[in-house]
Amino acid sequence: MSELSASSPYTPSRRDWLTGALAAPALALAGCATQAESTASMTPSSNAQHWQPWSMPGVRSFDLPAAPLPGSNAARQHRVLVYVPEGTAPAGGWPVIYVLDGNLMFPFIAQLVHNRSARGPEMRSGSAVVVGLGHALPEHSGEVHDRTARTYDYTLPYNGVGPDSQGRAQGGADVFLDFIAQQLQPLLRAALPLHPQRQTLVGHSYGGLCTLHALFTRPGMFQRHVAASPSLWWGDGVVVQECQRFIARYGQQGQALPGALSLHLSQGSEELAGRRPANRPANPEREAAAQAARALGLGNTADLPAALAAVRGLDCSYQVWPGANHGGTQLYACMQAAQVGTAWDTAQG
């Protein structure tokens, strides 16, 4: 069987997937040994260098080329992490949960989904394939994600979009969504039995912004959308304008959506109260953008469900996570995504 590693680009064949990811699910995260190898080579020692990496069942990874950043010819790679549940897929195929900021959020969601299907028979519940959409980081990097890459991939295109105050390119969300639709999803469908109408996209902050963009401009690409603390302020509220156009197109007597869709919005109580970590200074530029977004009438995440109620076939909810600041909503979003992305037998949309 061909090796699937995080250090070199690889396009898996259907045979690789079915024999590797399904028949032998005890495979490690990128760069880790298999569980069998870890157990065999483990030598009790007081020297931590002798300890073995922890591995997660059912996970493989591969890299695919990413579009160069504007103004750069430097090659970059999308890091794709895939968890495949044990056992036989449902008759229509596995549901899929696509996770933005995959380097950071994929391990949480994949483990939560694995827990649902790996317990005793009397406690098992619905499962799903989990796909982490991350970026290839330099070896031994201490970062949890590539901030330059995510800034470009998750922010929206509009006339006049340019670099942010840190000099990072912006506006690549459509290029990124094209990559998912035209390259990644066909590859996954060819390799694994997946349900085409049970797909969830989850994102936090800029990832939440991209998730809303996908819903408002490509409804039906995903059926469920989990957007935690979405950056509505970005670009002076460009996504708010997209929301308003979406409502005008599909609300009241407008067009019908391509199927039942859902949007699960959330924020933390600490971010709503305006409290932030003591070591994080105020950001006047961001606050000015937030004020411009609010001036459009839908600049607060809590306002969206009432406005989107006009869209037939869209179920929209809003949740406040107690005690969570902006960053803290990530963990809550992971728990919510694991539930939303697997509970297809009991709910629709």
Side-chain angles (χ1 to χ4, degrees), residues 198-327:
R198 294 187 172 184
Q199 300 187 86
T200 300
L201 179 65
V202 53
H204 166 265
S205 192
Y206 271 12
L209 173 71
C210 185
T211 298
L212 292 179
H213 177 64
L215 170 62
F216 296 151
T217 64
R218 306 184 187 211
M221 182 175 174
F222 305 94
Q223 288 69 50
R224 294 180 177 177
H225 309 75
V226 178
S229 300
S231 300
L232 300 188
W233 57 268
W234 184 86
D236 292 347
V238 171
V239 75
V240 173
Q241 298 176 47
E242 290 185 345
C243 178
Q244 292 169 331
R245 290 193 292 269
F246 176 78
I247 293 171
R249 183 175 183 182
Y250 295 104
Q252 301 300 330
Q253 303 302 315
Q255 298 180 32
L257 289 170
L261 307 179
S262 68
L263 171 61
H264 305 266
L265 297 159
S266 65
Q267 290 179 284
S269 62
E270 290 296 290
E271 69 175 328
L272 286 173
R275 290 188 282 269
R276 60 181 182 274
N279 62 347
R280 179 169 296 178
N283 188 325
E285 180 185 20
R286 182 172 298 186
E287 180 53 35
Q291 290 179 3
R294 288 192 289 269
L296 297 172
L298 292 175
N300 295 312
T301 303
D303 298 333
L304 295 183
L308 289 167
V311 178
R312 297 169 297 155
L314 177 66
D315 180 27
C316 185
S317 65
Y318 174 75
Q319 177 77 39
V320 175
W321 306 119
N325 59 19
H326 180 77

Side-chain angles (χ1 to χ4, degrees), residues 7 10 13 15 45-46 62 73 106-107 121 127 164 198 237 248 297-298 310:
S7 58
Y10 180 78
S13 69
R15 180 181 180 84
S45 172
S46 60
F62 57 91
N73 293 322
F106 169 85
S127 193
D164 66 8
R198 294 187 172 184
L298 292 175

Side-chain angles (χ1 to χ4, degrees), residues 25-37:
L27 294 162
L29 280 166
C32 297
T34 65
Q35 288 182 326
E37 291 169 343

